[in-house]
Amino acid sequence: MKIFVVPATYNEKDNIEKFITTLEEAVFPKIKDHDMHILVADDNSPDGTGDIVKALMKKYKNLGINQGPKKGLGAAYIRTMGYAIDKLGADVVISVDADFQHDLQKIPDFVAMIGKGYDVVIGTRYSGGGSIPENWPPQRKAFSIVANIFVRTVFMKFAIHDWTGGYRAIRKEVFLKERSEMSEYNGYIFQIAFLHKAVRDGFKIGEVPFHFGDRTLGNSKIAPLSYIINVVTFVIATRIKELLFGSFGKFLVVGGLGFVVNFIVLKVLHDSSKWDPFWANLVGAGIAIFSNYNFNNLWTFKDQKISGFGTYIWKMVQFYATSAFGVIFIQSGTIFIGDKLIGPDILLHVGPLHVRYYLLYFVLGTGLLLIWNFFIYSKFIWKKTTK
Ligand code: GDD
Ligand code: MN
């Protein structure tokens, strides 16, 4: 394979020469069966980093530089990785910091993981023996750790331990698939955004634990506060979009339709056919659940569509049981507990509004019911089978 190590540089004149010689003399000789290259992603560093690289290019024929205007770390990676893949025939690109915070001796491990069939290999500081600098002040350590736990939790992707790091090997197919969606992620947020899309598309992700060293020469370019804000906004906005436009949003639409079906059947049977409201509603609810089951099967969870008559019936029984359990124990149970805890039907005064307590329990109970149903539907009834 033709593999390009792509260090990003902005004002790294103190590091770049040693960085390149370390790769050339102490790392590449350990990788026997691949064609190794370096393509520096430099944003016209005013300190002359580019000139140092150009001088070294006379000595190392597998060394190149790709320069452009400064638009941020993500933009530099997209430009330079794109150049390596489109113009130089790279099969794999490896992003790495040029300030020695990424242990270059791990590059053979990244290459080996790609060789085993992983599509993206990420360096991890938070699992399997990876670590962050001992001497960082506690608040910096805490932020680094909490940020990654936050991302893993909001995305519900616990198997990936380091979402924000910049040490990664990426197969060309992944880059080409995700590139068009990356144009708005110019800064450090590139790391999370890219990995999120690769995971979404089912690429195989591997991890290489490493010790993240401290910077000894030059300065960090990250602006911590705006980075934190970017991370939180990106992760939350992405997750909300995913839920609303993904299966959760469809599940809500199907449920809303079921509510309307229930209401119409109740009204028709009661008003026109003079049924007892209890029985009229029971039939209405039964039909609504049937409608929910089928629309969820055909639309919400169409990627896991149930086929085969036997399975269809058996899953439908489970669906009715889940729905009934939810209404009886979760929704009505919440109303019951609330009523017992705070007392009977008292009015709650919120400004000019008078709300009956049981209505609050009803809203809360219905919210919990939706979560319960969605959880059981997606994790059990329409369980994803891993490909
Ligand atoms: N071309 C280019 N353009 N390079 C840049 C830019 C830019 O706008 N900004 C930073 N770099 C280069 C730096 O020169 C360095 O080699 C590398 O990218 C990392 O930048 P640092 O400024 O040293 O970042 P850090 O150490 O604070 O951040 C590290 O941790 C972040 C959070 O986990 C990096 O590993 C980031 O990738 C990571 O997101
Ligand atoms: Mn750094």
Side-chain angles (χ1 to χ4, degrees):
M1 280 187 297
K2 204 166 181 184
I3 301 178
F4 277 73
V5 175
V6 180
T9 56
Y10 192 73
N11 290 344
E12 299 291 356
K13 71 169 168 41
D14 298 330
N15 289 308
I16 195 64
E17 177 160 8
K18 188 174 161 211
F19 180 90
I20 288 168
T21 30
T22 307
L23 280 178
E24 299 281 3
E25 313 288 340
V27 178
F28 289 175
K30 294 182 181 161
I31 304 169
K32 300 271 183 275
D33 32 3
H34 298 288
D35 186 8
M36 300 302 296
H37 298 259
I38 305 174
L39 186 63
V40 179
D42 182 60
D43 286 359
N44 296 325
S45 295
D47 73 348
T49 302
D51 301 330
I52 302 174
V53 177
K54 285 172 195 158
L56 288 165
M57 280 162 60
K58 300 195 178 90
K59 183 170 172 197
Y60 300 113
K61 294 299 162 206
N62 60 348
L63 170 65
I65 187 165
N66 176 267
Q67 291 181 294
K70 180 163 167 51
K71 292 188 188 149
L73 181 63
Y77 274 138
I78 290 296
R79 182 191 71 225
T80 305
M81 289 174 170
Y83 190 87
I85 292 168
D86 299 338
K87 300 284 190 323
L88 307 176
D91 299 303
V92 176
V93 286
I94 300 181
S95 65
V96 60
D97 294 355
D99 57 3
F100 291 102
Q101 289 190 267
H102 292 161
D103 176 3
L104 297 177
Q105 294 304 330
K106 293 286 175 185
I107 287 191
D109 295 355
F110 281 81
V111 172
M113 294 281 275
I114 292 282
K116 279 189 204 156
Y118 289 94
D119 299 307
V120 179
V121 180
I122 61 169
T124 170
R125 299 162 286 179
Y126 308 103
S127 65
S131 60
I132 52 177
E134 281 283 317
N135 60 322
W136 274 8
Q139 63 273 23
R140 187 161 176 201
K141 280 187 188 158
F143 170 68
S144 172
I145 295 167
V146 170
N148 272 281
I149 294 178
F150 171 79
V151 182
R152 289 164 72 206
T153 312
V154 177
F155 283 162
M156 295 291 278
K157 292 281 186 303
F158 295 100
I160 293 173
H161 295 85
D162 194 336
W163 282 87
T164 52
Y167 200 6
R168 294 170 178 178
I170 300 165
R171 218 179 257 280
K172 131 181 134 188
E173 291 75 12
V174 186
F175 180 85
L176 292 174
K177 173 112 208 312
E178 313 302 357
R179 166 162 57 185
S180 63
E181 283 186 76
M182 292 307 299
S183 53
E184 56 187 295
Y185 308 111
N186 285 335
Y188 286 79
I189 199 72
F190 167 82
Q191 316 289 14
I192 305 183
F194 188 87
L195 188 55
H196 174 262
K197 293 182 200 315
V199 171
R200 173 200 67 191
D201 293 335
F203 286 112
K204 204 173 163 202
I205 317 287
E207 292 190 326
V208 169
F210 76 102
H211 170 68
F212 191 57
D214 208 0
R215 191 190 254 275
T216 47
L217 294 169
N219 305 311
S220 168
K221 282 90 200 172
I222 209 162
L225 186 64
S226 71
Y227 179 58
I228 296 172
I229 295 171
N230 278 346
V231 169
V232 172
T233 324
F234 171 79
V235 171
I236 291 183
T238 304
R239 189 68 182 138
I240 289 176
K241 266 187 251 164
E242 236 173 38
L243 287 174
L244 287 184
F245 299 110
S247 50
F248 189 71
K250 292 176 181 169
F251 157 86
L252 290 181
V253 172
V254 168
L257 180 73
F259 181 81
V260 174
V261 169
N262 188 345
F263 178 76
I264 291 173
V265 174
L266 165 66
K267 197 163 160 53
V268 167
L269 289 182
H270 179 62
D271 293 4
S272 334
S273 311
K274 304 287 169 250
W275 280 43
D276 197 80
F278 175 82
W279 296 108
N281 185 57
L282 204 62
V283 171
I287 295 175
I289 295 175
F290 184 76
S291 140
N292 288 356
Y293 177 68
N294 285 291
F295 282 114
N296 278 325
N297 193 36
L298 294 173
W299 188 45
T300 317
F301 301 107
K302 66 172 185 299
D303 296 342
Q304 288 85 240
K305 187 150 76 212
I306 297 161
S307 51
F309 187 68
T311 326
Y312 174 84
I313 296 292
W314 171 231
K315 293 273 184 181
M316 186 157 73
V317 171
Q318 293 177 7
F319 190 86
Y320 270 93
T322 307
S323 308
F325 179 94
V327 168
I328 296 170
F329 290 98
I330 298 192
Q331 188 189 37
S332 309
T334 306
I335 298 177
F336 178 82
I337 292 169
D339 185 51
K340 294 294 164 223
L341 279 186
I342 313 233
D345 179 18
I346 329 165
L347 278 176
L348 174 74
H349 299 272
V350 190
L353 284 177
H354 305 280
V355 187
R356 288 182 184 281
Y357 266 120
Y358 77 86
L359 285 179
L360 290 182
Y361 307 140
F362 168 73
V363 171
L364 179 67
T366 305
L368 294 175
L369 172 70
L370 291 177
I371 295 171
W372 155 263
N373 279 342
F374 187 71
F375 177 76
I376 300 290
Y377 299 171
S378 51
K379 297 287 174 213
F380 295 97
I381 298 182
W382 285 280
K383 188 172 174 219
K384 261 204 186 97
T385 41
T386 43
K387 63 171 179 181

